[in-house]
Each structure stands twice: as C-alpha cells, then as structure tokens.
Amino acid sequence: MATLGDVAAKAHVSKMTVSRVINHPEKVTKELRDLVYAAMSELNYQPNFAAKALANNRTQIVKLFILERMDTVEPYYMNLLAGLADALDEKNYALQLITKNSLDVGNCDGYVVTGMRNKDYGWLETVEKPIVLYGENQMGLDYVDTDNILGTRTSTNYAFACGYTTVVFVGINLPDSFAESREKGYTLAMAAHHAPPKVFQMDNRSHISDQVITKHFAEFPQNTCFVCASDRLAIGVERAVQHQGGQIPDDYGVIGFDGVFLDRIGSPQLTTIRQPVQKMGYETGRMVLHKIEENGAPQGHEVFVPTLVPRGTTRPPQEGQPK
C-alpha cells in the first residue's frame, strides 16, 4: 500500500505539504492541491482518517440533537440532514442523531442542536464540546437560520398586493425566537399598512389550525388572507376554509412558511415562504466544523434570505397595489 512518503516523492513535495493538503486543503494553493491529488490518485493512496482522528484526539463525529417533536417537522428535517451530512462528509466526519436519552452515549467532537426552547438553555452550560444551534436565539450563541421577520413581512405585504383587505396571522404558540420573529414580521407589515393585526396562536398541527379557523370562521369576511407561521398550519387553514364553503383564492387567501414538501400537497398548492433548508444545513455543518478546528471559538451567525413562492392559494398581485 502506498504511504504518505510515496505521495510526497511522487509529487516532489514534502510529507508535511501532503499532510497539509489532506487536512487543510483551504490553506494551500489550487496548483499544489491538484499536484498532490494527482499523485494520490495515481498511487491509489487512501488517507487513514481513523489514525488522524486518534492522533488529534478526535472522534470524527458530530452529534445532531433534535429537541422538538419529529412528528410535526419530519419533511423539513430530511432536507436539513442532507445539507448537514454533505458538509460533514467533506471533512470525513460522521453524523450521529441523538435524543435526550442517548445524549451521553459515546463521545463526539461537537454538537448541532435544533428545536432549542427557552427552557433548554441551561443544559448548554454543562456541555464542554463546541455547539452550533440551528435556529435563531437571543442568548448570543452561534446559529444558522432564516430571516424569519423578513419572511412574514414579505408574505403579509404580498397579501395586500394581491388585493386582500383583511390579513390574519396564524402563529405557533411557542415562547421562542423563531415563532416570535415570524409574528413580529407580520405586525411590522400590518403597521406599515396602517391595518389592525389579528393573531391566532396554536400548536403547529394542521388539525388544530383547521379546528380554530372553523370555530372562528364567522369573524373572517370575504377578501381575507391568512398568513401562517408554517406550511403545516396553512394546510389546516386551507382545509377549514374549503369546508366552510370559502372560495380559494377568490374570497380567501392562504400563505404558508417553510416550502418543504407540505406546500405541494394541498389543492390548490400553497403560496409559501420558502427556506433554503438544505443550504442552511450545509452552513450549519460547516460552522460547527470550523468551531471544532478553532477550539470552540465563537462563529457568530448566518441568516439566509427566504423567498416567496406564489401558487394557487393567492390571487395574482393587482396593479397599483403597494408591495
């Protein structure tokens, strides 16, 4: 089997240079990387990442700790996992999914934590490994998320641009940053349009939003648009409006938030605010690996811009309406 020294001799560089290309390719020139990679390919050299991990006192494992109920977010997390796994794979890291009961089983080099609620932050003080949160927070912790305020401001403004005169917010009843930010984006947009806000909060379940909108349907005049904090809630709203005889999108509009699978299962399909979840997962993986390499140094945060995806649950924008 070829050795590191064989690759160095073939590429006419030092063993230290080969090691740097393998372990820190971003720190060498493209020409040098290509030269070493060509020698590795010709010699069929496979770096011993297990030995590298042992030498560096590393496990080459990142644990993903999901704190929210999977039955309310499962399509979303498949996209997150794909992006996260891509980033870790580039650095030969394994991804381990853990629960509260398996938190302390086995060692790792760092954590990605998602679904963090305000009551969970005390746990972070007990963890010595680098942590990156998937989801905004007000604790000054490193995180990756969507610009949630911008998302619901965009959907609320779009509702008015489509000519709806009443805009209702259907939110998630969690005292957490992302839920609060999504409601804040709505209230900011309503203030800009000099319109009174009307907010309903509930569990993030379609059958709950169906029940709530059905119960209060008499309060919603025709030409109302429902801006929802998730596609799951929006699916229930759409179902309730249709069961009450409302015409979508002519009499009532519905706008979701997430844009991951559920926005396409309704009839008509949902207008929604789409998050680039796979890209966000990739950035989360990249951030936690940088934090590991930098011995836990703060990484800050990365916020992605969501995009509006117009579909059949809203009318087209009307000429002359402000956007």
Side-chain angles (χ1 to χ4, degrees), residues 166-217:
T166 300
V167 182
V168 175
F169 183 70
V170 182
I172 301 172
N173 61 348
L174 289 172
D176 297 297
S177 294
F178 87 95
E180 293 169 355
S181 291
R182 292 185 187 183
E183 182 174 334
K184 183 177 181 180
Y186 162 79
T187 56
L188 288 172
M190 293 297 283
H193 286 274
H194 306 289
K198 189 174 183 65
V199 175
F200 292 85
Q201 290 189 337
M202 62 203 70
D203 290 345
N204 188 26
R205 295 178 178 276
S206 61
H207 76 272
I208 298 293
S209 59
D210 186 342
Q211 292 171 3
V212 171
I213 298 306
T214 297
K215 178 180 178 180
H216 294 272
F217 193 73

Side-chain angles (χ1 to χ4, degrees), residues 256-279:
F257 198 120
D258 284 333
V260 182
F261 177 70
L262 291 180
D263 54 316
R264 287 168 284 174
I265 68 173
S267 181
Q269 293 185 348
L270 284 172
T271 295
T272 192
I273 298 295
R274 175 177 291 163
Q275 303 184 72
V277 178
Q278 192 160 336
K279 290 182 180 179

Side-chain angles (χ1 to χ4, degrees), residues 5 12 19 38 50 56-57 72 152 173 182 190 226 259 285 287 301:
H12 303 289
S19 179
N56 293 331
N57 195 28
T72 64
T152 45
N173 61 348
R182 292 185 187 183
M190 293 297 283
F226 298 92
M287 186 179 289
H301 59 268

Side-chain angles (χ1 to χ4, degrees), residues 155-156 158-160 162-170 186 190 196 198 200 213 216-228 237-238 241 246-255 313-315:
S155 55
T156 304
Y158 187 73
F160 282 111
C162 292
Y164 296 105
T165 53
T166 300
V167 182
V168 175
F169 183 70
V170 182
Y186 162 79
M190 293 297 283
K198 189 174 183 65
F200 292 85
I213 298 306
H216 294 272
F217 193 73
E219 302 173 23
F220 310 126
Q222 288 189 0
N223 215 26
T224 291
C225 186
F226 298 92
V227 168
C228 304
V237 172
E238 180 180 12
V241 171
Q247 298 298 310
I248 297 176
D250 295 335
D251 298 335
Y252 297 90
V254 183
I255 304 177
T313 56
T314 51
R315 301 188 297 241

